[in-house]
Each structure stands twice: as C-alpha cells, then as structure tokens.
Amino acid sequence: MNSKKVKIKAEYLTKKFELLPTKDTKNKAKSLAGVSTQDEQEFWALRNVSFEIRDGECVGVIGLNGAGKSTLSNIISGQISQTTGKVEINGDVSIIAANAGMQKNLSGRENIRLKALMMGMTNKEIDEKMDDIINFSELGPFIDQPVKTYSSGMKAKLGFSIMVHQNPDIMIVDEALSVGDKTFVDKSKNKMFEFRDEGKTILLVSHDMRTIKEWCDRVIWLNYGEVKAYGPPEKIIPEYNKFSKWFKKLPKKEQKKYKDEQRQVQMDYSVKNLETEVFKKGLSMSRKERIRVSEGLKKNKDSHRLSLGSKVLVTFCLLGFIWLGLVSLSSATVVESVAHPVSFFTEKMFKEKPAFKKQIKITEQKGKDNTENSAKNNSISVVNKQEHKTESSVANDTAQTAKQDRGTSYTVKVGDSLGSIANDKGLSVEDIQSENPGVDFSVVNPGQKIKLPASAREKAQKNKKTSAKGQAKSKSTAASSAKEKIEKTYTVKTGDSIGSIADDFGFSVEQIEAENPEVDFSVINPGQVIKLPGSNK
C-alpha cells in the first residue's frame, strides 16, 4: 500500500456546459432565470473522471484536442467548478499556461508583480525574488517591454519563472513548455525534478510524448471527456501512439464521422448514465453507500442559475427601479408615493413637481426682467441719440445761416417792388436805400441784385435760433419724461439691500417702503421688482 499522502483526488467528476444560441439574448436571460428553452443543449466535457495523485508524483495528461485536458486542469486549480463529483486538493495550487494571468499592456516586470500578488505573495517577497525571476526567465532587457510584444515562448518562460519562484505544493503546467527552446526546457525540467524530490506534485498537460515520458511517473489518457487509461507512461504512451496513428490514417470523412459520434455521446450523456457507470463498476457497494453516492451525483455544483433568494432580490430591485422612474415622472416624492400609492397613481402621475414649477416661474421672471431692462436701456439710448441729434441740427442750422448771411444779397424777382422786398425782410425802404447808395430804386428790374442791411440777417438768425431751441427744449422735456418713467421700477440684483438701493437712487428707505406697501423688505431676492418714488430727495 502506498504510504504517500494524497495531494489530488477526483471522484465521479463531470463537467457540463450549456450550449445556447449566443446571438439570442432572450435565451441567455431565460437560462439565468432557470427557465428551460427548446434550443438548450448540454455538452459534457468531462464524464466520470476518477483518479488519485500523491506526494512527489509527476502525472501527465494526454489526449486529442477537445478531450477535456484544460477543463480538468481548470477544475483542479479552482478556476471553474465541477458539475458532479468531488475534488479533494491538499495544498496550494499554481497553474501555468502561456497566457494565464498575463496583462498584455503591462510590461514583463509589472506582470511579475501582478501575478505574484494574485498568488498571495507580499510586495516584500516579490522585491526579494524579482531579480531571480527575471534571471530564470532569460528575458533580459525585454522584461520592461509590454507583454503584447512577446512571443509564445517568451510568455511561457515568464509564466513558468513566476510559478517556480512562488514555491507551490501543486504545480499544473498546461502546454506552457511546448513552445520553449530546448535550453530553457532542460532548465525547467531540472527545476521540476527538484520540486518532485522535495515532495511537490506536478500535473503536466502536453502533446509532447517525449516530455511526458521523461518527466511523468503516471499518465492520464483522456478521450472526449472520459478516462481512457491511467497508468505508467511505459504502458499508456504506446497505446496512445497506436490510437493516434490509427486516427491519422483515417480519411477525412471518417475522422469527422468519429469526432461527430463522440461529441454526440457527450451531448446525450446525463447523470443517469453516470449513476449506471458508477454502480456497474462498484458492484460491491452497500445499499447505504449507493444511496449516498446517488444523492451526491444529483447535486449540481456549478449551476449558474439564480437561486430563489437571488430571484426575489433581482425582482425587488427591478420593481424599485421602475417605481423610482414613475416617481420621477410625477409631482410626488418617494415617501409620498409609498405612503399614499392610490393618490400617487390617480392624482399625481405625470404631473409637474412644485419645485419644478417654481424653477420654471423664476426662469420666466428672469427672462421677463431681462427683456424689460433691455427695452429700458434701448429707450434711454434712443432718447440720448435724439437729444444729441437735435443739438447737432441746431448747431448746423446756425452755421449754415451764418454762412449764407456773410455778404448776402437779394436777387429781385418778377413782380417785386422795393416796398414788397422791405416788408418781406422786415426792413424799411430807407434802410435798403441807405445800404445801396448808388442804386436808383425808382425802377427795380428782375435779376437785379441789392444788398440787405445787417439788421435783417440778425433778425432772421434770431428767429431761426429761437425756433430750434424750442424744438430742442420740447425733445429734451420728452426725454426727461421718458427717463423718469423708465426709472419708476428697479429689479433687485445679487448683493443688493434696501439700504443700498435707497442710497443709489437718492431716496430714503421709508420712501421706498411707502411706495411698495405690499412688499416685505425684511428679505429681498435677486430678480424681485420694486417700485421707486416719483421724485428724488
């Protein structure tokens, strides 16, 4: 009897995967909720796998692609759970694959720290072993380059180096060394032999029969999910090679037919088939033991379906989200909707919240105030422009009159007489005659030019100035009236107080309060409109 301690023990191990149309989201949701669908198919990647691995053993796992080798290594490492059966692990497990745990955008050095931390090492331990890991990996200056630039062999070297320096009890090597160069493979082999001599357990998954034969004490041959054979490499490897040669010699159609048949068997498999196989092998089992095994096989350990409690929780959360959405579309608060659900649905659904109405009212008032202020400013600007235009017009008219009066004369028109000219210009006949001493005014002819006295020019200019000033005064009075009308109200701004407003406009606080008897001036808010008194102090 072998006295070595059992490190790994698998009993009646199975692994089932559910095959669903990946593009159909409804089927995924139904599967999660535990509702069966017509398109659902079961694929049993492992079927009734049982074995034991003891201290210091190196056991190889061989088989064709799709035989279930990686599925078995993932179950033993704890990455996935089995469907039925039991797996007993006595020790720390570390798995190495070419890309296992590697972050392609990080450098090799950063991946060492990341993967070591995931394995349970501390930063202090990592710092102490960093140089040894880098030296063992033989990556040299490439250790600080992103892993996405590494070849498969470089990734395998890095992963293996991290694993062997983590010093695990159980090492699982999944195709990691098949891509390495011979020098590194020999170094790795010596390191693994050291581990085996120290009593550590090694599970080697590989297609390289030479490595399996050199390294392994026993071999597990998996064929489409079931253990085809388990024993020493001298016995198992020749049988496997014979099977491989037979399979390769088959025509392509026969190979496809064989694969399809085996996969159909995996799809048709069930727990009942497992029970039949177990009880057939264990004919000597007692009735009590049969019942225990049967109950254990019916327990589904990897069910991804939601439990009853999880379903209740998900339903409650979903209803809560829907309720919050309805509350956001109503005029009620969450507390009010829960306290009075009937009035919530009948009276407050799809109604604006009071706070929202208030905000809209404030926004509209601000827009109105801005429009009024803009209109006031435009009105003041128009009045100022009119005043300026009036003053400019008066000045221009005065200058034009002066220009015309300098050296002015009058051209006699048809029908004019000296008396009519004097009356038109507000002069006497004697004034015109004295201004023109060399002219005979007994007869005046059309086209004749005569000088006018200065008094006529001054009188005409004075009359024009008087008229212009009257117009300017009228326009100024209108502008003042507009300003007074504009300044009858004031819109409160941020930082204003009743005292500062009174000071700015030259009123007393009492005058403003008297003008606004309905307003409470204990608190004034920005945007508030108040009336101003009619006259300043």
Side-chain angles (χ1 to χ4, degrees), residues 103-136:
Q103 298 296 319
K104 62 181 182 179
N105 291 323
L106 299 180
S107 67
R109 189 186 301 274
E110 291 168 338
N111 269 284
I112 291 174
R113 186 171 298 278
L114 174 63
K115 198 167 182 181
L117 287 170
M118 293 171 64
M119 291 177 176
M121 295 175 65
T122 64
N123 278 311
K124 184 178 180 182
E125 292 174 338
I126 297 170
D127 292 335
E128 291 173 353
K129 297 180 179 181
M130 181 67 75
D131 292 338
D132 293 336
I133 295 173
I134 295 173
N135 292 333
F136 191 91

PDB file of all heavy atoms in Angstrom, residues 103-136:
ATOM      1  N   GLN A 103      -1.340  40.308 -18.461  1.00  0.00           N
ATOM      2  CA  GLN A 103      -1.965  41.515 -18.980  1.00  0.00           C
ATOM      3  C   GLN A 103      -1.082  42.069 -20.092  1.00  0.00           C
ATOM      4  O   GLN A 103       0.034  42.516 -19.843  1.00  0.00           O
ATOM      5  CB  GLN A 103      -2.140  42.554 -17.868  1.00  0.00           C
ATOM      6  CG  GLN A 103      -3.053  42.102 -16.747  1.00  0.00           C
ATOM      7  CD  GLN A 103      -4.477  41.886 -17.221  1.00  0.00           C
ATOM      8  OE1 GLN A 103      -4.996  42.665 -18.007  1.00  0.00           O
ATOM      9  NE2 GLN A 103      -5.109  40.821 -16.747  1.00  0.00           N
ATOM     10  N   LYS A 104      -1.600  42.028 -21.325  1.00  0.00           N
ATOM     11  CA  LYS A 104      -0.746  42.309 -22.486  1.00  0.00           C
ATOM     12  C   LYS A 104      -0.230  43.740 -22.538  1.00  0.00           C
ATOM     13  O   LYS A 104       0.833  43.991 -23.117  1.00  0.00           O
ATOM     14  CB  LYS A 104      -1.502  41.978 -23.770  1.00  0.00           C
ATOM     15  CG  LYS A 104      -2.751  42.819 -23.981  1.00  0.00           C
ATOM     16  CD  LYS A 104      -3.454  42.420 -25.267  1.00  0.00           C
ATOM     17  CE  LYS A 104      -4.689  43.286 -25.508  1.00  0.00           C
ATOM     18  NZ  LYS A 104      -5.367  42.915 -26.765  1.00  0.00           N
ATOM     19  N   ASN A 105      -0.933  44.683 -21.927  1.00  0.00           N
ATOM     20  CA  ASN A 105      -0.479  46.078 -21.992  1.00  0.00           C
ATOM     21  C   ASN A 105       0.552  46.420 -20.913  1.00  0.00           C
ATOM     22  O   ASN A 105       1.132  47.500 -20.945  1.00  0.00           O
ATOM     23  CB  ASN A 105      -1.683  47.025 -21.873  1.00  0.00           C
ATOM     24  CG  ASN A 105      -2.587  46.964 -23.096  1.00  0.00           C
ATOM     25  OD1 ASN A 105      -2.105  46.838 -24.209  1.00  0.00           O
ATOM     26  ND2 ASN A 105      -3.886  47.033 -22.878  1.00  0.00           N
ATOM     27  N   LEU A 106       0.749  45.510 -19.954  1.00  0.00           N
ATOM     28  CA  LEU A 106       1.753  45.725 -18.906  1.00  0.00           C
ATOM     29  C   LEU A 106       3.081  45.119 -19.340  1.00  0.00           C
ATOM     30  O   LEU A 106       3.129  44.212 -20.171  1.00  0.00           O
ATOM     31  CB  LEU A 106       1.293  45.104 -17.590  1.00  0.00           C
ATOM     32  CG  LEU A 106      -0.014  45.635 -16.983  1.00  0.00           C
ATOM     33  CD1 LEU A 106      -0.312  44.909 -15.683  1.00  0.00           C
ATOM     34  CD2 LEU A 106       0.061  47.135 -16.757  1.00  0.00           C
ATOM     35  N   SER A 107       4.149  45.611 -18.754  1.00  0.00           N
ATOM     36  CA  SER A 107       5.476  45.068 -19.050  1.00  0.00           C
ATOM     37  C   SER A 107       5.654  43.730 -18.335  1.00  0.00           C
ATOM     38  O   SER A 107       4.852  43.350 -17.468  1.00  0.00           O
ATOM     39  CB  SER A 107       6.557  46.052 -18.605  1.00  0.00           C
ATOM     40  OG  SER A 107       6.563  46.168 -17.186  1.00  0.00           O
ATOM     41  N   GLY A 108       6.724  43.022 -18.691  1.00  0.00           N
ATOM     42  CA  GLY A 108       7.006  41.751 -18.026  1.00  0.00           C
ATOM     43  C   GLY A 108       7.224  41.931 -16.534  1.00  0.00           C
ATOM     44  O   GLY A 108       6.737  41.131 -15.717  1.00  0.00           O
ATOM     45  N   ARG A 109       7.940  42.985 -16.145  1.00  0.00           N
ATOM     46  CA  ARG A 109       8.206  43.243 -14.725  1.00  0.00           C
ATOM     47  C   ARG A 109       6.899  43.518 -13.978  1.00  0.00           C
ATOM     48  O   ARG A 109       6.683  43.026 -12.867  1.00  0.00           O
ATOM     49  CB  ARG A 109       9.154  44.438 -14.592  1.00  0.00           C
ATOM     50  CG  ARG A 109       9.686  44.661 -13.171  1.00  0.00           C
ATOM     51  CD  ARG A 109      10.496  45.946 -13.113  1.00  0.00           C
ATOM     52  NE  ARG A 109      11.624  45.912 -14.037  1.00  0.00           N
ATOM     53  CZ  ARG A 109      12.813  45.383 -13.731  1.00  0.00           C
ATOM     54  NH1 ARG A 109      13.027  44.864 -12.533  1.00  0.00           N
ATOM     55  NH2 ARG A 109      13.785  45.397 -14.627  1.00  0.00           N
ATOM     56  N   GLU A 110       6.013  44.305 -14.596  1.00  0.00           N
ATOM     57  CA  GLU A 110       4.722  44.602 -13.957  1.00  0.00           C
ATOM     58  C   GLU A 110       3.846  43.354 -13.853  1.00  0.00           C
ATOM     59  O   GLU A 110       3.123  43.176 -12.876  1.00  0.00           O
ATOM     60  CB  GLU A 110       4.015  45.696 -14.748  1.00  0.00           C
ATOM     61  CG  GLU A 110       4.690  47.058 -14.653  1.00  0.00           C
ATOM     62  CD  GLU A 110       4.164  48.055 -15.665  1.00  0.00           C
ATOM     63  OE1 GLU A 110       3.601  47.628 -16.697  1.00  0.00           O
ATOM     64  OE2 GLU A 110       4.309  49.269 -15.430  1.00  0.00           O
ATOM     65  N   ASN A 111       3.939  42.478 -14.852  1.00  0.00           N
ATOM     66  CA  ASN A 111       3.171  41.233 -14.805  1.00  0.00           C
ATOM     67  C   ASN A 111       3.700  40.303 -13.717  1.00  0.00           C
ATOM     68  O   ASN A 111       2.923  39.552 -13.117  1.00  0.00           O
ATOM     69  CB  ASN A 111       3.208  40.524 -16.164  1.00  0.00           C
ATOM     70  CG  ASN A 111       2.049  40.930 -17.058  1.00  0.00           C
ATOM     71  OD1 ASN A 111       0.923  40.493 -16.860  1.00  0.00           O
ATOM     72  ND2 ASN A 111       2.335  41.790 -18.027  1.00  0.00           N
ATOM     73  N   ILE A 112       4.991  40.333 -13.462  1.00  0.00           N
ATOM     74  CA  ILE A 112       5.553  39.533 -12.361  1.00  0.00           C
ATOM     75  C   ILE A 112       4.915  39.944 -11.050  1.00  0.00           C
ATOM     76  O   ILE A 112       4.467  39.103 -10.250  1.00  0.00           O
ATOM     77  CB  ILE A 112       7.086  39.701 -12.299  1.00  0.00           C
ATOM     78  CG1 ILE A 112       7.760  39.047 -13.507  1.00  0.00           C
ATOM     79  CG2 ILE A 112       7.642  39.104 -10.996  1.00  0.00           C
ATOM     80  CD1 ILE A 112       9.241  39.293 -13.604  1.00  0.00           C
ATOM     81  N   ARG A 113       4.858  41.256 -10.814  1.00  0.00           N
ATOM     82  CA  ARG A 113       4.276  41.736  -9.559  1.00  0.00           C
ATOM     83  C   ARG A 113       2.781  41.422  -9.486  1.00  0.00           C
ATOM     84  O   ARG A 113       2.266  40.982  -8.457  1.00  0.00           O
ATOM     85  CB  ARG A 113       4.509  43.244  -9.423  1.00  0.00           C
ATOM     86  CG  ARG A 113       4.072  43.825  -8.077  1.00  0.00           C
ATOM     87  CD  ARG A 113       4.529  45.258  -7.937  1.00  0.00           C
ATOM     88  NE  ARG A 113       5.984  45.375  -7.961  1.00  0.00           N
ATOM     89  CZ  ARG A 113       6.766  45.165  -6.905  1.00  0.00           C
ATOM     90  NH1 ARG A 113       6.233  44.818  -5.739  1.00  0.00           N
ATOM     91  NH2 ARG A 113       8.061  45.301  -7.021  1.00  0.00           N
ATOM     92  N   LEU A 114       2.072  41.658 -10.608  1.00  0.00           N
ATOM     93  CA  LEU A 114       0.636  41.417 -10.614  1.00  0.00           C
ATOM     94  C   LEU A 114       0.306  39.950 -10.357  1.00  0.00           C
ATOM     95  O   LEU A 114      -0.519  39.623  -9.495  1.00  0.00           O
ATOM     96  CB  LEU A 114       0.058  41.850 -11.974  1.00  0.00           C
ATOM     97  CG  LEU A 114      -1.426  41.545 -12.207  1.00  0.00           C
ATOM     98  CD1 LEU A 114      -2.296  42.306 -11.211  1.00  0.00           C
ATOM     99  CD2 LEU A 114      -1.829  41.887 -13.636  1.00  0.00           C
ATOM    100  N   LYS A 115       0.968  39.051 -11.075  1.00  0.00           N
ATOM    101  CA  LYS A 115       0.654  37.629 -10.938  1.00  0.00           C
ATOM    102  C   LYS A 115       1.094  37.092  -9.580  1.00  0.00           C
ATOM    103  O   LYS A 115       0.402  36.251  -8.987  1.00  0.00           O
ATOM    104  CB  LYS A 115       1.328  36.849 -12.065  1.00  0.00           C
ATOM    105  CG  LYS A 115       0.742  35.466 -12.277  1.00  0.00           C
ATOM    106  CD  LYS A 115       1.207  34.857 -13.574  1.00  0.00           C
ATOM    107  CE  LYS A 115       0.564  33.490 -13.781  1.00  0.00           C
ATOM    108  NZ  LYS A 115       1.015  32.847 -15.032  1.00  0.00           N
ATOM    109  N   ALA A 116       2.217  37.584  -9.074  1.00  0.00           N
ATOM    110  CA  ALA A 116       2.694  37.143  -7.757  1.00  0.00           C
ATOM    111  C   ALA A 116       1.738  37.600  -6.657  1.00  0.00           C
ATOM    112  O   ALA A 116       1.472  36.868  -5.697  1.00  0.00           O
ATOM    113  CB  ALA A 116       4.093  37.672  -7.506  1.00  0.00           C
ATOM    114  N   LEU A 117       1.221  38.828  -6.783  1.00  0.00           N
ATOM    115  CA  LEU A 117       0.235  39.313  -5.811  1.00  0.00           C
ATOM    116  C   LEU A 117      -1.032  38.467  -5.861  1.00  0.00           C
ATOM    117  O   LEU A 117      -1.644  38.175  -4.822  1.00  0.00           O
ATOM    118  CB  LEU A 117      -0.100  40.779  -6.087  1.00  0.00           C
ATOM    119  CG  LEU A 117       0.970  41.816  -5.733  1.00  0.00           C
ATOM    120  CD1 LEU A 117       0.591  43.185  -6.277  1.00  0.00           C
ATOM    121  CD2 LEU A 117       1.185  41.888  -4.216  1.00  0.00           C
ATOM    122  N   MET A 118      -1.444  38.061  -7.061  1.00  0.00           N
ATOM    123  CA  MET A 118      -2.621  37.215  -7.197  1.00  0.00           C
ATOM    124  C   MET A 118      -2.393  35.840  -6.580  1.00  0.00           C
ATOM    125  O   MET A 118      -3.346  35.185  -6.138  1.00  0.00           O
ATOM    126  CB  MET A 118      -2.989  37.074  -8.676  1.00  0.00           C
ATOM    127  CG  MET A 118      -3.461  38.371  -9.317  1.00  0.00           C
ATOM    128  SD  MET A 118      -3.644  38.247 -11.101  1.00  0.00           S
ATOM    129  CE  MET A 118      -4.952  37.037 -11.218  1.00  0.00           C
ATOM    130  N   MET A 119      -1.151  35.402  -6.536  1.00  0.00           N
ATOM    131  CA  MET A 119      -0.816  34.105  -5.936  1.00  0.00           C
ATOM    132  C   MET A 119      -0.665  34.184  -4.421  1.00  0.00           C
ATOM    133  O   MET A 119      -0.440  33.169  -3.772  1.00  0.00           O
ATOM    134  CB  MET A 119       0.485  33.569  -6.547  1.00  0.00           C
ATOM    135  CG  MET A 119       0.359  33.161  -7.998  1.00  0.00           C
ATOM    136  SD  MET A 119       1.942  32.614  -8.667  1.00  0.00           S
ATOM    137  CE  MET A 119       1.465  32.101 -10.312  1.00  0.00           C
ATOM    138  N   GLY A 120      -0.750  35.400  -3.860  1.00  0.00           N
ATOM    139  CA  GLY A 120      -0.693  35.544  -2.411  1.00  0.00           C
ATOM    140  C   GLY A 120       0.634  36.023  -1.860  1.00  0.00           C
ATOM    141  O   GLY A 120       0.798  36.115  -0.642  1.00  0.00           O
ATOM    142  N   MET A 121       1.584  36.362  -2.723  1.00  0.00           N
ATOM    143  CA  MET A 121       2.872  36.862  -2.248  1.00  0.00           C
ATOM    144  C   MET A 121       2.750  38.326  -1.841  1.00  0.00           C
ATOM    145  O   MET A 121       1.906  39.058  -2.365  1.00  0.00           O
ATOM    146  CB  MET A 121       3.927  36.703  -3.348  1.00  0.00           C
ATOM    147  CG  MET A 121       4.235  35.255  -3.719  1.00  0.00           C
ATOM    148  SD  MET A 121       5.364  35.098  -5.123  1.00  0.00           S
ATOM    149  CE  MET A 121       6.857  35.827  -4.455  1.00  0.00           C
ATOM    150  N   THR A 122       3.580  38.760  -0.910  1.00  0.00           N
ATOM    151  CA  THR A 122       3.602  40.156  -0.482  1.00  0.00           C
ATOM    152  C   THR A 122       4.575  40.939  -1.350  1.00  0.00           C
ATOM    153  O   THR A 122       5.425  40.361  -2.046  1.00  0.00           O
ATOM    154  CB  THR A 122       4.004  40.268   0.988  1.00  0.00           C
ATOM    155  OG1 THR A 122       5.354  39.781   1.142  1.00  0.00           O
ATOM    156  CG2 THR A 122       3.077  39.449   1.878  1.00  0.00           C
ATOM    157  N   ASN A 123       4.473  42.263  -1.312  1.00  0.00           N
ATOM    158  CA  ASN A 123       5.391  43.104  -2.086  1.00  0.00           C
ATOM    159  C   ASN A 123       6.840  42.903  -1.646  1.00  0.00           C
ATOM    160  O   ASN A 123       7.757  42.965  -2.471  1.00  0.00           O
ATOM    161  CB  ASN A 123       4.991  44.575  -1.937  1.00  0.00           C
ATOM    162  CG  ASN A 123       3.853  44.961  -2.875  1.00  0.00           C
ATOM    163  OD1 ASN A 123       3.902  44.679  -4.067  1.00  0.00           O
ATOM    164  ND2 ASN A 123       2.822  45.591  -2.336  1.00  0.00           N
ATOM    165  N   LYS A 124       7.045  42.669  -0.356  1.00  0.00           N
ATOM    166  CA  LYS A 124       8.397  42.440   0.146  1.00  0.00           C
ATOM    167  C   LYS A 124       8.967  41.156  -0.436  1.00  0.00           C
ATOM    168  O   LYS A 124      10.141  41.116  -0.874  1.00  0.00           O
ATOM    169  CB  LYS A 124       8.372  42.375   1.674  1.00  0.00           C
ATOM    170  CG  LYS A 124       9.747  42.237   2.301  1.00  0.00           C
ATOM    171  CD  LYS A 124       9.648  42.239   3.819  1.00  0.00           C
ATOM    172  CE  LYS A 124      11.040  42.087   4.452  1.00  0.00           C
ATOM    173  NZ  LYS A 124      10.956  42.047   5.926  1.00  0.00           N
ATOM    174  N   GLU A 125       8.168  40.091  -0.455  1.00  0.00           N
ATOM    175  CA  GLU A 125       8.625  38.819  -1.031  1.00  0.00           C
ATOM    176  C   GLU A 125       8.887  38.961  -2.526  1.00  0.00           C
ATOM    177  O   GLU A 125       9.858  38.394  -3.051  1.00  0.00           O
ATOM    178  CB  GLU A 125       7.569  37.743  -0.788  1.00  0.00           C
ATOM    179  CG  GLU A 125       7.410  37.346   0.667  1.00  0.00           C
ATOM    180  CD  GLU A 125       6.251  36.390   0.889  1.00  0.00           C
ATOM    181  OE1 GLU A 125       5.330  36.364   0.036  1.00  0.00           O
ATOM    182  OE2 GLU A 125       6.258  35.682   1.901  1.00  0.00           O
ATOM    183  N   ILE A 126       8.031  39.735  -3.203  1.00  0.00           N
ATOM    184  CA  ILE A 126       8.219  39.927  -4.644  1.00  0.00           C
ATOM    185  C   ILE A 126       9.519  40.676  -4.914  1.00  0.00           C
ATOM    186  O   ILE A 126      10.277  40.326  -5.829  1.00  0.00           O
ATOM    187  CB  ILE A 126       7.018  40.689  -5.241  1.00  0.00           C
ATOM    188  CG1 ILE A 126       5.737  39.863  -5.093  1.00  0.00           C
ATOM    189  CG2 ILE A 126       7.251  41.014  -6.710  1.00  0.00           C
ATOM    190  CD1 ILE A 126       4.472  40.621  -5.444  1.00  0.00           C
ATOM    191  N   ASP A 127       9.786  41.742  -4.123  1.00  0.00           N
ATOM    192  CA  ASP A 127      11.028  42.502  -4.309  1.00  0.00           C
ATOM    193  C   ASP A 127      12.254  41.625  -4.089  1.00  0.00           C
ATOM    194  O   ASP A 127      13.262  41.759  -4.796  1.00  0.00           O
ATOM    195  CB  ASP A 127      11.048  43.689  -3.346  1.00  0.00           C
ATOM    196  CG  ASP A 127       9.990  44.735  -3.686  1.00  0.00           C
ATOM    197  OD1 ASP A 127       9.596  44.796  -4.870  1.00  0.00           O
ATOM    198  OD2 ASP A 127       9.570  45.473  -2.780  1.00  0.00           O
ATOM    199  N   GLU A 128      12.175  40.708  -3.127  1.00  0.00           N
ATOM    200  CA  GLU A 128      13.314  39.827  -2.838  1.00  0.00           C
ATOM    201  C   GLU A 128      13.551  38.829  -3.963  1.00  0.00           C
ATOM    202  O   GLU A 128      14.703  38.456  -4.234  1.00  0.00           O
ATOM    203  CB  GLU A 128      13.065  39.082  -1.524  1.00  0.00           C
ATOM    204  CG  GLU A 128      13.095  39.982  -0.286  1.00  0.00           C
ATOM    205  CD  GLU A 128      12.687  39.242   0.979  1.00  0.00           C
ATOM    206  OE1 GLU A 128      12.260  38.064   0.850  1.00  0.00           O
ATOM    207  OE2 GLU A 128      12.791  39.823   2.074  1.00  0.00           O
ATOM    208  N   LYS A 129      12.487  38.403  -4.642  1.00  0.00           N
ATOM    209  CA  LYS A 129      12.606  37.370  -5.677  1.00  0.00           C
ATOM    210  C   LYS A 129      12.597  37.930  -7.096  1.00  0.00           C
ATOM    211  O   LYS A 129      12.749  37.157  -8.054  1.00  0.00           O
ATOM    212  CB  LYS A 129      11.457  36.368  -5.533  1.00  0.00           C
ATOM    213  CG  LYS A 129      11.477  35.604  -4.215  1.00  0.00           C
ATOM    214  CD  LYS A 129      10.314  34.621  -4.148  1.00  0.00           C
ATOM    215  CE  LYS A 129      10.335  33.835  -2.832  1.00  0.00           C
ATOM    216  NZ  LYS A 129       9.226  32.858  -2.747  1.00  0.00           N
ATOM    217  N   MET A 130      12.420  39.246  -7.259  1.00  0.00           N
ATOM    218  CA  MET A 130      12.284  39.842  -8.586  1.00  0.00           C
ATOM    219  C   MET A 130      13.473  39.526  -9.479  1.00  0.00           C
ATOM    220  O   MET A 130      13.322  39.062 -10.623  1.00  0.00           O
ATOM    221  CB  MET A 130      12.093  41.349  -8.470  1.00  0.00           C
ATOM    222  CG  MET A 130      11.912  42.073  -9.800  1.00  0.00           C
ATOM    223  SD  MET A 130      10.365  41.659 -10.640  1.00  0.00           S
ATOM    224  CE  MET A 130       9.206  42.605  -9.643  1.00  0.00           C
ATOM    225  N   ASP A 131      14.679  39.750  -9.001  1.00  0.00           N
ATOM    226  CA  ASP A 131      15.876  39.510  -9.827  1.00  0.00           C
ATOM    227  C   ASP A 131      16.019  38.039 -10.192  1.00  0.00           C
ATOM    228  O   ASP A 131      16.403  37.702 -11.326  1.00  0.00           O
ATOM    229  CB  ASP A 131      17.119  40.004  -9.089  1.00  0.00           C
ATOM    230  CG  ASP A 131      17.150  41.517  -8.939  1.00  0.00           C
ATOM    231  OD1 ASP A 131      16.471  42.195  -9.743  1.00  0.00           O
ATOM    232  OD2 ASP A 131      17.826  42.025  -8.023  1.00  0.00           O
ATOM    233  N   ASP A 132      15.716  37.131  -9.243  1.00  0.00           N
ATOM    234  CA  ASP A 132      15.822  35.693  -9.532  1.00  0.00           C
ATOM    235  C   ASP A 132      14.815  35.279 -10.607  1.00  0.00           C
ATOM    236  O   ASP A 132      15.146  34.474 -11.492  1.00  0.00           O
ATOM    237  CB  ASP A 132      15.580  34.884  -8.251  1.00  0.00           C
ATOM    238  CG  ASP A 132      16.680  35.094  -7.218  1.00  0.00           C
ATOM    239  OD1 ASP A 132      17.803  35.464  -7.623  1.00  0.00           O
ATOM    240  OD2 ASP A 132      16.410  34.904  -6.011  1.00  0.00           O
ATOM    241  N   ILE A 133      13.599  35.846 -10.545  1.00  0.00           N
ATOM    242  CA  ILE A 133      12.579  35.512 -11.548  1.00  0.00           C
ATOM    243  C   ILE A 133      13.010  35.991 -12.925  1.00  0.00           C
ATOM    244  O   ILE A 133      12.901  35.260 -13.919  1.00  0.00           O
ATOM    245  CB  ILE A 133      11.221  36.141 -11.153  1.00  0.00           C
ATOM    246  CG1 ILE A 133      10.706  35.527  -9.855  1.00  0.00           C
ATOM    247  CG2 ILE A 133      10.194  35.959 -12.267  1.00  0.00           C
ATOM    248  CD1 ILE A 133       9.460  36.212  -9.299  1.00  0.00           C
ATOM    249  N   ILE A 134      13.540  37.218 -12.990  1.00  0.00           N
ATOM    250  CA  ILE A 134      13.973  37.770 -14.280  1.00  0.00           C
ATOM    251  C   ILE A 134      15.139  36.975 -14.853  1.00  0.00           C
ATOM    252  O   ILE A 134      15.177  36.664 -16.055  1.00  0.00           O
ATOM    253  CB  ILE A 134      14.344  39.260 -14.117  1.00  0.00           C
ATOM    254  CG1 ILE A 134      13.095  40.078 -13.726  1.00  0.00           C
ATOM    255  CG2 ILE A 134      14.950  39.812 -15.400  1.00  0.00           C
ATOM    256  CD1 ILE A 134      13.385  41.519 -13.382  1.00  0.00           C
ATOM    257  N   ASN A 135      16.086  36.614 -14.007  1.00  0.00           N
ATOM    258  CA  ASN A 135      17.246  35.839 -14.469  1.00  0.00           C
ATOM    259  C   ASN A 135      16.833  34.457 -14.963  1.00  0.00           C
ATOM    260  O   ASN A 135      17.337  33.968 -15.986  1.00  0.00           O
ATOM    261  CB  ASN A 135      18.275  35.714 -13.348  1.00  0.00           C
ATOM    262  CG  ASN A 135      18.929  37.050 -13.016  1.00  0.00           C
ATOM    263  OD1 ASN A 135      19.016  37.939 -13.864  1.00  0.00           O
ATOM    264  ND2 ASN A 135      19.381  37.207 -11.779  1.00  0.00           N
ATOM    265  N   PHE A 136      15.892  33.816 -14.248  1.00  0.00           N
ATOM    266  CA  PHE A 136      15.454  32.483 -14.653  1.00  0.00           C
ATOM    267  C   PHE A 136      14.694  32.537 -15.974  1.00  0.00           C
ATOM    268  O   PHE A 136      14.776  31.612 -16.788  1.00  0.00           O
ATOM    269  CB  PHE A 136      14.565  31.875 -13.561  1.00  0.00           C
ATOM    270  CG  PHE A 136      14.276  30.415 -13.757  1.00  0.00           C
ATOM    271  CD1 PHE A 136      15.098  29.446 -13.208  1.00  0.00           C
ATOM    272  CD2 PHE A 136      13.181  30.006 -14.513  1.00  0.00           C
ATOM    273  CE1 PHE A 136      14.827  28.099 -13.402  1.00  0.00           C
ATOM    274  CE2 PHE A 136      12.909  28.665 -14.708  1.00  0.00           C
ATOM    275  CZ  PHE A 136      13.739  27.698 -14.144  1.00  0.00           C
TER     276      PHE A 136
END
